[in-house]
Amino acid sequence: MATRYTIAITGKGGTGKTTIAAAVVTCLIDRGCTPVLAVDADPNSCLDGVLGVKALKTVGQIREESRDAGAGQPGGVSKRELIELRIAESLVEAEDFDLIAMGRPEGPGCYCYANNLFGDCIGELSKSYPCIVIDNEAGLENLSRRLYRQVDLLLIAGDPSKRGIETIRRLHGLAEEMGVEYARLALVVNLVRDGSNTRDLSALGQELGADSVLILPFDPEIARAGEEGLRMQDVPRTNPVLAGIDGLISGLDPAGDTRD
Ligand SMILES: Nc1ncnc2c1ncn2[C@@H]1O[C@H](COP(=O)(O)OP(=O)(O)OP(=O)(O)O)[C@@H](O)[C@H]1O
Ligand SMILES: [Mg+2]
């Protein structure tokens, strides 16, 4: 069975989660860990745009539609088969990766049957990819509901401001509280400028039991790509943000490991 890695990104709003997720996807593709499944699990996110594709339908929309579809369909198609089919149809297929957008999480009402069915279908879908990258909202909703198998690498992103660091600490606490299971933890302190205070970051990493602390600079090329809506895959690999993320990924050896 092929190697499988699940890499999940969470962090403070606006600190580069989507940029980092797109960089992880790009580096995994470069390393031959294809096809990558990119999961846009932040309802307000635009991972599709940063990877140069367009998601037309979210899993949340399919869930709403399926709710009205009743328990079964004429012709012997079960509700599960119908949902599997619709999820497969919503998948955006690009050359080296596929993308699925989760959309809004379900509301507080009890739709346990539908939720479990969706959990099963997403779990089933993700089995056919060697690498999965999940761009999460800060709330960790999708991870805590165990929509994915265990996370191999959890990235918590923040900026170097006092508040950014506090948010990293808080999100780490939240992940612990919610019982998110991960094998490795990396803190990614992004948007670091000359004069930013990075002195205490390795102590923070130790405090939170992180395996690594990655410091990424504010980079004009990434800023321009964001402003102009360019694809991450078109950013030169010498770019310090891409190079930093590649260093992090290389520690995982996603293409060389023979683990299931
Ligand atoms: N290292 C960097 N250097 C320069 N600009 C960056 C860097 N990282 C991210 N950006 C820019 O900052 C903006 C916010 O980044 P991004 O959308 O990735 O953050 P986010 O955490 O996903 O935001 P949201 O919480 O809205 O989902 C984007 O315009 C992006 O291009
Ligand atoms: Mg985002």
Side-chain angles (χ1 to χ4, degrees), residues 11-21 42 44-46 50 135-138 157 190-193 216-227 232 239 241:
K12 183 169 178 266
T15 55
K17 296 183 293 293
T18 302
T19 303
I20 292 164
D42 182 345
N44 301 311
S45 183
C46 46
V50 186
D135 180 11
N136 281 278
E137 56 181 344
N190 189 23
L191 302 166
V192 173
R193 295 172 191 263
L216 296 174
F218 174 89
D219 178 73
E221 200 167 28
I222 295 289
R224 202 175 334 110
E227 278 161 20
M232 182 58 75
N239 178 276
V241 171

Side-chain angles (χ1 to χ4, degrees), residues 3 5 25 28-29 32-38 93-99 126 128-133:
T3 308
Y5 275 105
V25 170
L28 288 172
I29 292 172
C33 189
T34 55
V36 177
L37 177 63
E93 293 182 28
E95 196 177 336
D96 291 315
F97 69 93
D98 292 349
L99 181 137
S126 57
S128 25
Y129 294 87
C131 289
I132 305 172
V133 180

